[in-house]
């Protein structure tokens, strides 16, 4: 079979849940504070994946205004019971401190592309929920449970309860079926049934460099569950030089031919400080069932960079330039932050993207920021903006963005006297104060006319550019450190920042008058560069 180079979903695509229906494979991944919620990719061959939908599109399904960075939609689970698709997800309203306020919901649809139902609220006892359809027709809900008392652990184990779809609620007793291993932080449960065994795949060790997939089994669904003789079927925790780090949080799928694969979360640090600018990505491993009825990862437990799958990946597509126009609406690659009220932050009428200036770029409530994932270690981005600011409280432009405290922003704004200027802003590892730096003096520009804004990233080197109408691009400001747009620098340690770098367009109007900024197009051009480990290994 052909061999591909991991990851299969590069860039911010964590916590994969995989499903096969007939000849179609689907992977659902977490989106956190980015709206719409949950990414679903489709494949026919496990090699080529297309983003086809984000099912949580309505206020009734998801409203994340006020959710802190790296809260929102955590660890969805996508399943099919033979009749319809089921999607389980968490909306986390608080992350730091003793409480989580993790609300779990279920939606369903007859077709993967919807329409998806309004949600059923399930519980708030913990996060990473999963729904298992037993062969007797019963449905079981599992999630990790959170103990704010630390008696003895915050991550208190995996709890099981029956879900009644007709009543639309959980019924019967709640039972803690698995408390994990000494690695602790047990989460991410998925249930399976095979040869009379119930199997439980969990994630342990936190989502940083001690992450792992732990496997257990029982003859009855409510336990007791015995842990795999190797404990961890997948982990990079003892292999610091492996290309795929942070390996854990997985799910299992079988091909029509009976081959078994495990998809899992991974990260690819590229700097001496071990920073994962592309966030947590999705990789795939070949697995097999032993004669002892236990699952093993081929050449595991350390994940393999190169894996045989049925299909051959379109490498040219991975490196293709993407030039986005807005004549047919907002392209699917783009998301925005938190709010379901899109009419208040953007419009694509007239074939351009118009952002209506709202709150600051660091707001947790309503900001006009529309962006796409960084999926390559090196790339170019470019746009043209038409914006008439009135003062220093109105600004719009191009941003390389991770979170409210970690971003770079080249904005068209104005001084207090109304003179238009370009202002370069950065917020770098300054959590919790979030104070801005201004790496360059402002550049005065005419009060009329469009402005081209661009940036290049080559590994960790970020350079901004601008051009007035009829002129060539010229650099503005110094070379900046793009590696701070990473989980490890997202305001928390790697256990607490969960997304990835984005690049896109933003607009703010702190006067409250919703000043419009119009963008003609957006260009994202991947670059082959020696710092790109994906290129180095995929072209061998």
């Amino acid at each position: 079979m052909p061999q591909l180079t991991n990851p299969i979903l590069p860039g911010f695509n964590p916590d994969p849940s995989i499903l096969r229906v007939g000849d179609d494979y689907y992977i659902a991944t977490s989106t956190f504070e980015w709206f719409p919620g949950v990414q679903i990719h489709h494949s026919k061959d496990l090699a080529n994946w297309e983003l086809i939908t984000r099912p949580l599109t309505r206020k009734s399904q998801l409203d994340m205004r006020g959710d802190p960075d790296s809260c929102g939609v955590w660890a969805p689970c996508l399943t099919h019971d033979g009749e319809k698709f089921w999607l389980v997800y968490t909306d986390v309203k608080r992350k730091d401190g003793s409480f989580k306020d993790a609300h779990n919901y279920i939606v369903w649809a007859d077709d993967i592309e919807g329409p998806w139902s309004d949600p059923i609220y399930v519980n708030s006892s913990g996060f990473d929920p999963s729904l298992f359809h037993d062969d007797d027709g019963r449905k079981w809900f599992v999630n990790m449970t959170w103990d704010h008392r630390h008696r003895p652990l915050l991550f208190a184990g995996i709890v099981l309860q029956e879900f009644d779809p007709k009543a639309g609620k959980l019924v019967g007793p709640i039972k803690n079926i698995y408390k994990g291993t000494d690695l602790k932080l047990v989460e991410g449960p998925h249930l399976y049934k095979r040869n009379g065994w119930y199997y439980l795949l969990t994630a342990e060790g936190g989502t940083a460099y001690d992450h792992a997939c732990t496997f257990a089994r029982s003859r009855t669904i409510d336990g007791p569950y015995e842990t795999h003789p190797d404990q961890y079927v997948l982990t990079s925790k003892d292999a610091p030089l492996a290309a795929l780090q942070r390996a854990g949080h997985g799910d299992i799928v079988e091909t029509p031919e009976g081959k078994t694969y495990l998809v899992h979360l991974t990260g690819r640090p590229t700097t001496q400080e071990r920073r994962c600018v592309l966030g947590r990505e999705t990789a795939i491993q070949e697995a097999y069932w032993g004669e002892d009825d236990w699952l093993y990862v081929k050449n595991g437990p350390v994940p393999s960079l190169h894996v045989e799958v049925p299909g051959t990946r379109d490498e040219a597509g991975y490196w293709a330039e993407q030039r986005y126009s807005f004549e047919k609406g907002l392209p699917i690659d783009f998301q925005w932050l938190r709010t379901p009220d899109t009419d208040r932050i953007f419009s694509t009428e007239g074939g351009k993207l118009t952002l209506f200036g709202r709150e600051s770029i660091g707001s947790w409530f309503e900001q006009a920021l529309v962006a796409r994932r960084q999926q390559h270690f090196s790339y170019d981005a470019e746009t043209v903006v038409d914006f008439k600011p009135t003062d220093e409280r109105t600004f719009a432009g191009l941003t390389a963005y991770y979170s409210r405290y970690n971003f770079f922003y080249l904005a068209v704004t104005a001084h207090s006297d109304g003179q238009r200027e370009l202002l370069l802003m950065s917020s770098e590892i300054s959590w919790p104060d979030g104070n801005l730096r201004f790496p360059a003096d402002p550049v005065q520009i005419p009060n009329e006319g469009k402005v081209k804004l661009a940036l290049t990233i080559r590994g960790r080197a970020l350079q901004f550019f601008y051009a007035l109408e009829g002129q060539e691009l010229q650099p503005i400001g110094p070379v900046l450190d793009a590696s701070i747009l990473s989980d490890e620098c997202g305001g928390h340690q790697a256990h607490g920042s969960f997304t990835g770098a984005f690049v896109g367009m933003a607009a703010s109007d702190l006067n409250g008058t919703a000043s419009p900024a119009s963008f003609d197009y957006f260009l994202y051009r991947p670059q082959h560069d020696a710092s790109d480990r994906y290129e180095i290994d995929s072209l061998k």
Side-chain angles (χ1 to χ4, degrees), residues 386-397:
D386 188 1
F387 183 53
K388 298 178 177 60
T390 56
D391 55 30
E392 69 272 22
R393 291 174 295 277
T394 52
F395 43 94

Side-chain angles (χ1 to χ4, degrees), residues 18 43 103 166 177 182 232 261 297 414 425 430 497 510 528:
I18 192 166
S43 177
H103 307 316
K166 292 183 179 179
I177 60 172
D182 291 340
Y232 316 116
Y261 288 90
V297 170
M425 296 175 275
S430 54
S497 295
L510 308 185
H528 293 267

Side-chain angles (χ1 to χ4, degrees), residues 414-460:
H415 190 45
S416 53
D417 60 5
Q419 173 60 53
R420 204 163 66 145
E421 63 184 26
L422 289 172
L423 185 65
L424 183 58
M425 296 175 275
S426 72
S427 178
E428 305 175 42
I429 326 178
S430 54
W431 186 87
D433 55 56
N435 291 326
L436 287 173
R437 286 198 316 118
F438 302 94
D441 292 333
V443 175
Q444 285 193 2
I445 58 174
N447 278 0
E448 298 290 332
K450 297 180 180 181
V451 184
K452 181 181 289 186
L453 305 175
L455 64 81
T456 64
I457 285 181
R458 299 294 184 270
R460 67 188 303 164

Side-chain angles (χ1 to χ4, degrees), residues 292-303:
D292 56 1
D293 273 339
W294 282 112
L295 183 79
Y296 297 87
V297 170
K298 184 179 179 180
N299 301 319
V302 178

Side-chain angles (χ1 to χ4, degrees), residues 10 173 180 188 225 281 288 306 382-383 390 394 431 481 492 495:
Y225 281 81
E281 307 171 283
Y288 62 93
H306 306 289
E382 178 185 295
T383 190
T390 56
T394 52
W431 186 87
D481 185 2
H492 303 77
H495 282 296

Side-chain angles (χ1 to χ4, degrees), residues 392-406:
E392 69 272 22
R393 291 174 295 277
T394 52
F395 43 94
L398 177 66
T399 181
Y401 183 91
Y402 182 90
S403 66
R404 69 183 296 189
Y405 297 125
N406 288 74

Side-chain angles (χ1 to χ4, degrees), residues 110-165:
D110 294 326
D111 185 88
I112 192 69
E113 297 191 43
W116 288 82
S117 70
D118 280 345
I120 292 175
Y121 167 73
V122 184
N123 64 22
S124 299
S125 61
F127 47 85
D128 291 4
S130 182
L131 188 64
F132 171 67
H133 312 281
D134 209 342
D135 52 18
D136 62 1
R138 299 172 77 180
K139 300 183 187 299
W140 298 89
F141 193 87
V142 289
N143 60 269
M144 67 79 67
T145 188
W146 182 263
D147 189 344
H148 55 275
R149 308 165 305 163
H150 291 255
R151 288 189 185 175
L153 299 169
L154 278 170
F155 288 68
I158 305 302
V159 293
L160 171 81
Q161 193 174 8
E162 187 173 359
F163 174 69
D164 183 341

